C-alpha cells in the first residue's frame, strides 16, 4: 500500500497535466514546425519552460488503481502484479485463467 500523500500527489499531477495539455501541444507544434522563425521558436521554448514541472506527462507515475503500488504495474488492467494475481485467483477478472503445463 502506497502512502496516501503519494497517491494524492499523483492525482494532483494528473489534473495539472490535463489543464496544460492543450497549450503544451500548441507550443510543441510551434517548436517543431520548420516554417516558423527562430524568434517564434525561442518564445515558445521560453513559455514552455515557464509552465510548471508537473505539467509534463513524463512526471506522471503509473500506479495500481486499488492500492497505489507504483512498481509492477500492468497497463492493460491498471493493477499491480500483486493485486492482479489476487483478483485473478478470486475470479474477479473475466477471461483470465491460470495457466499450467
Amino acid at each position: 500500500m502506497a502512502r496516501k500523500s503519494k497517491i494524492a500527489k499523483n492525482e494532483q499531477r494528473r489534473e495539472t497535466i490535463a489543464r496544460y495539455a492543450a497549450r503544451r501541444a500548441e507550443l510543441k507544434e510551434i517548436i517543431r514546425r520548420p516554417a516558423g522563425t527562430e524568434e517564434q521558436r525561442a518564445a515558445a521554448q521560453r513559455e514552455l519552460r515557464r509552465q510548471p514541472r508537473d505539467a509534463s506527462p513524463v512526471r506522471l507515475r503509473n500506479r495500481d488503481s486499488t492500492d497505489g503500488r507504483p512498481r509492477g504495474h500492468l497497463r492493460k488492467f491498471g493493477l499491480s502484479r500483486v493485486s492482479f494475481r489476487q483478483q485473478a485467483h478470486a475470479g474477479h477478472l473475466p477471461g483470465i485463467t491460470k495457466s499450467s503445463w
Side-chain angles (χ1 to χ4, degrees):
M1 178 78 189
R3 293 189 328 214
K4 301 282 186 197
S5 62
K6 291 287 189 183
I7 296 170
K9 186 66 174 175
N10 207 38
E11 289 305 314
Q12 198 175 36
R13 281 189 181 129
R14 196 175 301 274
E15 292 168 6
T16 306
I17 289 167
R19 188 178 325 127
Y20 286 94
R23 185 60 184 153
R24 268 184 86 78
E26 289 172 11
L27 292 172
K28 290 246 188 204
E29 184 58 35
I30 291 169
I31 294 168
R32 245 184 265 124
R33 192 178 311 137
T37 64
E38 284 299 318
E39 294 82 29
Q40 288 175 333
R41 282 192 190 130
Q45 287 173 346
R46 278 194 302 274
E47 189 176 339
L48 195 61
R49 277 196 304 264
R50 277 198 308 266
Q51 286 187 348
R53 283 186 178 184
D54 286 343
S56 174
V58 174
R59 291 177 64 94
L60 192 63
R61 180 77 177 177
N62 288 331
R63 289 185 174 271
D64 186 343
S65 58
T66 55
D67 64 358
R69 189 176 202 280
R71 303 279 179 106
H73 182 266
L74 300 174
R75 187 176 297 204
K76 184 174 180 180
F77 301 97
L79 300 170
S80 68
R81 59 181 179 79
V82 177
S83 59
F84 172 79
R85 189 168 188 267
Q86 290 171 347
Q87 291 186 20
H89 283 305
H92 297 304
L93 301 175
I96 304 298
T97 56
K98 185 175 187 302
S99 66
S100 61
W101 56 85

